[in-house]
Amino acid sequence: MGKAILVTGGARSGKSRFAEQFMRDLSGSVLYLATAKVTDEEMALRVKKHRESRPGEWDTIEAYQNLGEIISKQGHRYQGILLDCITIMVTNLLFDVPEMQQEEISVDGAEKAEKMIMKEAADLMAGINASPATVVMVTNELGSGIVPEYPVARIFRDIAGRVNQYLASQADEVYLSVCGLPLRLK
């Protein structure tokens, strides 16, 4: 059975650096699951910098769907798996739902999106539990900010918060990173 670790924090809080150092400290092979999609030049530069910062011997899979299946099938090959990041996974999944791309978002569309994303989170945990690897998941803490002005942003914030709560409840360990300092919560 795999070990699940959730690392959360605000933007530029040091959460990815902490997670990467955790993986470097493991003895054995590492798989990096990158959930970002390149949609513009700025994101392309971010992805490039992330790729360059990782050790060359780490394997990388770029995906945001079916991560539980990937982990359950690939986990036996790795000592550690770093999933960076849950928040971007949620964003990509949210915009895969056609109702989320409309100007007026219905309650039914938002509920459909949340149900699909929560199923993906449950499948992710099932994959981790089926794997012998230690899986470190990075996510953003979004609940400390202001209430977003736009409906789709509020829907995203709410879904991401519920996904984080679920993953934290299922994880073996949970860390909050603030100013580059990780605090163990669980």
Side-chain angles (χ1 to χ4, degrees), residues 2 7 10 18 40 61 72 110 112-113 123 147 162 169-170 186:
V7 179
F18 171 72
D40 56 33
I61 294 177
S72 68
K112 175 183 175 183
D123 291 348
V147 175
R162 285 190 273 274
S169 75
Q170 301 299 304
K186 178 180 176 185

Side-chain angles (χ1 to χ4, degrees), residues 87 94-95 105 141-161:
T87 314
L94 184 67
F95 287 108
I105 300 168
E141 177 51 51
L142 302 175
S144 298
I146 61 172
V147 175
E149 179 179 356
Y150 299 101
V152 71
R154 288 191 299 273
I155 291 165
F156 163 72
R157 184 227 28 213
D158 292 350
I159 293 171

Side-chain angles (χ1 to χ4, degrees), residues 1-108:
M1 184 163 118
K3 182 176 185 181
I5 299 171
L6 183 68
V7 179
T8 189
R12 300 291 164 247
S13 64
K15 59 192 177 294
S16 290
R17 189 180 66 224
F18 171 72
E20 288 174 6
Q21 188 59 52
F22 190 96
M23 287 292 127
R24 284 184 179 98
D25 292 343
L26 288 176
S27 59
S29 58
V30 173
L31 172 64
Y32 190 99
L33 289 176
T35 62
K37 285 194 313 188
V38 175
T39 55
D40 56 33
E41 286 183 41
E42 187 266 342
M43 183 57 87
L45 182 60
R46 285 177 178 264
V47 168
K48 181 178 182 275
K49 286 181 179 180
H50 265 274
R51 285 179 184 148
E52 291 171 351
S53 73
R54 293 193 292 269
E57 65 271 10
W58 288 6
D59 292 336
T60 299
I61 294 177
E62 295 180 354
Y64 66 91
Q65 297 171 308
N66 305 312
L67 299 179
E69 182 179 336
I70 292 169
I71 291 169
S72 68
K73 288 183 177 178
Q74 298 288 325
H76 69 281
R77 299 179 53 213
Y78 298 96
Q79 180 71 23
I81 299 173
L82 175 53
L83 193 170
D84 197 356
C85 104
I86 295 294
T87 314
I88 293 174
M89 176 194 84
V90 169
T91 301
N92 292 335
L93 291 169
L94 184 67
F95 287 108
D96 280 352
V97 177
E99 290 87 346
M100 292 294 105
Q101 297 175 27
Q102 298 174 10
E103 189 140 335
E104 292 293 320
I105 300 168
S106 69
V107 172
D108 289 344

Side-chain angles (χ1 to χ4, degrees), residues 112-175:
K112 175 183 175 183
E114 182 166 355
K115 184 177 179 181
M116 182 266 297
I117 293 168
M118 291 304 294
K119 181 182 181 323
E120 188 78 32
D123 291 348
L124 171 61
M125 286 309 305
I128 292 169
N129 290 331
S131 163
T134 296
V135 179
V136 177
M137 301 170 283
V138 176
T139 192
N140 288 281
E141 177 51 51
L142 302 175
S144 298
I146 61 172
V147 175
E149 179 179 356
Y150 299 101
V152 71
R154 288 191 299 273
I155 291 165
F156 163 72
R157 184 227 28 213
D158 292 350
I159 293 171
R162 285 190 273 274
V163 167
N164 286 347
Q165 288 179 51
Y166 169 74
L167 294 175
S169 75
Q170 301 299 304
D172 299 295
E173 298 174 22
V174 178
Y175 294 86

